[in-house]
Amino acid sequence: MVRSSVRGEVSEVVSVEDTTSPEPRDGGGRRSRRGAEGGDRRRRRRRIVRWSASVLALALAGTATAGYLYYEHLNGNIKKESLNIGDAKDRATKAKANAAGQTPLNILLIGSDARDTAENQKLGGARDIGTAARADVQMLLHVSADRTNMSVVSMPRDTLVDIPRCTDAKTGKVYAATDDTMTNASLERGGPGCTVATWEKLTGIHVDHFMMVDFSGVVSMADAIGGVPVCVDANIYSHTSTGHGSGLKLKKGTTSVKGKQALQWLRTRYGFEDGSDIARTKAQHMYMNSMVRQLRSNATLSNPDKLLGLAETATRALTVDTGLGSVTKLYDLSKELKKVPTDRITMTTMPFVYSSDGNRVLPRPTDAAKLWRLVREDVALDGRDKKKTTTATTKVTDKAAADDRIAVQVQNGTESGTGAAVTGRAAAVTGLLVGKGFTKAAADTSAPLSEDRTLVRYPSADLAGDAQRVAKVLGIPTDQVKKSTGVDGVTLVVGADWRSGSTYTADDDTTPESANALNASDTKACMHVDPDYTW
């Protein structure tokens, strides 16, 4: 656009010059003195016009070149890596578009504890420079398909998970799959692409992009924003006699933290609530909520110099997947995120239970599975979605057969990312059906499946009545009775929502209380300080 404007300016000036009247001459064809003097003045004017046009063209072209070079400079700042380097890519399928053709966005936010520079080492501790980075912070940001709401789910770094086999895209080094490994170790197994693979294996949620920032990046971003307000309910000093703690020292009330102090807030464990990684996650949620409010209300960011500074800082701080690796794509993403109102952003923590030794955490089987399902199904975690209409059931054209004449195959679908399949579950529910008069029920002994909800499937309309009869007897809602070409007869799939017991209770779409939901518009949130860390 700039170059076209330059050409237009030059063309306009040239056309004006070409239409200048000819110089007056005497009868012999010689220029008169008066005409000569006038001609000299016109020639000077034309030279000035031509010179001015050249300068203008060069100036504008120079501006365009400078803008292009700066754009390329910002692009060059951004570090890029592969999105998923695991061997379980088929575990998570991308969500289907809604009626308007919109799809949700899932972005994994990673906070790296890299000590790859002297600055990062100074900020992060005494580990040797060059030691493989770990994922200190992991948050899955889910933006709804219609962009009306956003959900963020944090996974504590001490969570034990199964990490899939990962291959470093740069070196070709292969990292074997591991079980019951701390989730923060996924980053040191080939990079952020392995952390993405770990999340997809655990949750079944397709991750579209990742964004990673290290210690120095957090510091520089907090400075560029101008500080983020945080609150504590007492004076806090995160420091122990043995040298542990982040060093955070704040007075009671609200303080705008920036630079190193912002990093200390995000890393504080000793001093917040029970001193666990869960408390640290809660503090991180408060920080992010406050940062969102700050960015949206900060008038100084309308200043071009401030925006350029933020752009410079942000691009230097980020490592992203190759699909997000340009200023244009980051800008487009920011426009999508901006559509979500602050009061529709919900921060949550993965529901968990402590490991047997009390030092680590595990996903809480039922609640965590439910949370992952809500995200997969694009259900708002703030509970403010309009009630979805129930799936229309197939019209039954004939009556169901007698219970003892209905053949039912029972499959075990209790496997999920948060727990292995319950051994013998198909046989147990088969026994339940037989006891209710379905004497032709039989358990499928093949490998367990993975289904969030218990389903009754049937292959053709003439078996719809039989399928609905089975569902009615067991208390399974009619919208969980599905026609499917993948079965030969009436098939009951016992899902992860019915891992035990003889009575089925239909799941709902409420966010589990154990997820500790926090709304981004909550300005009264304040971290509780452990009395042992006050001053």
Side-chain angles (χ1 to χ4, degrees), residues 171-485:
T171 66
K173 182 176 180 179
V174 177
Y175 295 86
T178 63
D179 298 334
D180 295 328
T181 305
M182 278 179 56
T183 185
N184 67 343
S186 60
L187 187 61
E188 60 187 3
R189 302 172 65 81
C194 193
T195 304
V196 169
T198 300
W199 271 79
E200 289 197 349
K201 178 178 174 65
L202 173 67
T203 68
I205 299 169
H206 173 77
V207 177
D208 298 289
H209 299 292
F210 73 77
M211 301 175 71
M212 184 171 71
V213 64
D214 59 18
F215 290 156
S216 60
V218 171
V219 170
S220 59
M221 283 293 290
D223 287 345
I225 293 169
V228 176
V230 295
C231 176
V232 287
D233 64 2
N235 293 350
I236 181 174
Y237 182 34
S238 178
H239 181 75
T240 70
S241 59
T242 57
H244 289 92
S246 69
L248 179 70
K249 191 172 186 179
L250 295 175
K251 291 182 179 180
K252 177 182 178 179
T254 300
T255 304
S256 182
V257 295
K258 58 194 301 188
K260 183 176 181 179
Q261 204 171 41
L263 178 64
Q264 289 173 334
W265 175 275
L266 292 169
R267 302 194 70 223
T268 292
R269 174 174 184 163
Y270 298 100
F272 284 155
E273 299 187 349
D274 61 357
S276 70
D277 196 49
I278 309 304
R280 170 163 45 196
T281 298
K282 184 176 178 180
Q284 290 167 354
H285 289 170
M286 289 186 184
Y287 180 92
M288 287 192 66
N289 285 343
S290 185
M291 183 175 67
V292 168
R293 296 193 299 269
Q294 189 77 352
L295 281 170
R296 293 189 173 187
S297 65
N298 194 338
T300 61
L301 294 183
S302 61
N303 181 311
D305 289 338
K306 293 282 186 181
L307 279 175
L308 286 176
L310 184 57
E312 182 74 33
T313 301
T315 52
R316 285 187 177 278
L318 290 175
T319 299
V320 300
D321 63 278
T322 51
L324 198 58
S326 73
V327 173
T328 301
K329 290 177 180 177
L330 287 170
Y331 175 69
D332 289 342
L333 174 61
S334 72
K335 288 194 297 183
E336 293 300 300
L337 299 180
K338 193 176 180 180
K339 294 176 182 177
V340 181
T342 304
D343 66 350
R344 295 299 312 277
I345 300 174
T346 306
M347 299 280 180
T348 62
T349 300
M350 178 199 74
F352 68 92
V353 292
Y354 284 103
S355 59
S356 56
D357 61 6
N359 294 324
R360 299 288 182 262
V361 300
L362 298 164
R364 184 186 293 271
T366 302
D367 286 1
K370 181 178 183 180
L371 190 64
W372 304 140
R373 177 184 66 78
L374 294 177
V375 174
R376 280 196 303 272
E377 296 180 1
D378 199 23
V379 177
L381 298 187
D382 61 5
R384 290 168 57 186
D385 263 352
K386 292 181 181 179
K387 188 172 181 59
K388 296 181 179 179
T389 56
T390 319
T391 304
T393 56
T394 303
K395 184 178 180 180
V396 179
T397 58
D398 60 340
K399 294 182 179 180
D403 292 351
D404 62 357
R405 303 277 297 177
I406 298 175
V408 186
Q409 185 178 54
V410 183
Q411 296 178 334
N412 184 349
T414 57
E415 181 181 1
S416 71
T418 56
V422 178
T423 304
R425 189 62 183 148
V429 177
T430 297
L432 176 65
L433 276 171
V434 170
K436 291 180 179 291
F438 292 86
T439 54
K440 287 191 174 184
D444 184 346
T445 57
S446 57
L449 306 174
S450 178
E451 286 289 346
D452 292 325
R453 298 195 190 200
T454 295
L455 301 171
V456 181
R457 292 175 170 150
Y458 62 94
S460 55
D462 61 310
L463 291 177
D466 292 354
Q468 289 185 14
R469 172 60 185 166
V470 172
K472 182 177 180 180
V473 169
L474 295 176
I476 299 169
T478 54
D479 64 349
Q480 290 170 227
V481 179
K482 308 282 186 181
K483 185 177 180 180
S484 171
T485 57

Side-chain angles (χ1 to χ4, degrees), residues 19-57:
T19 57
T20 304
S21 301
E23 297 174 357
R25 297 178 180 271
D26 62 13
R30 293 177 304 223
R31 289 180 298 171
S32 67
R33 181 177 180 182
R34 181 178 176 184
E37 290 174 350
D40 290 338
R41 284 195 295 272
R42 282 191 291 273
R43 281 197 299 274
R44 282 196 300 271
R45 284 198 298 270
R46 286 198 297 270
R47 283 196 296 269
I48 292 171
V49 169
R50 284 196 296 268
W51 180 83
S52 298
S54 300
V55 171
L56 177 62

Side-chain angles (χ1 to χ4, degrees), residues 111-115 127 132-136 157 187 214-215 267:
S112 160
D113 71 351
R115 273 80 166 181
R127 286 175 63 197
R134 295 174 300 189
D136 229 24
R157 69 169 190 172
L187 187 61
D214 59 18
F215 290 156
R267 302 194 70 223

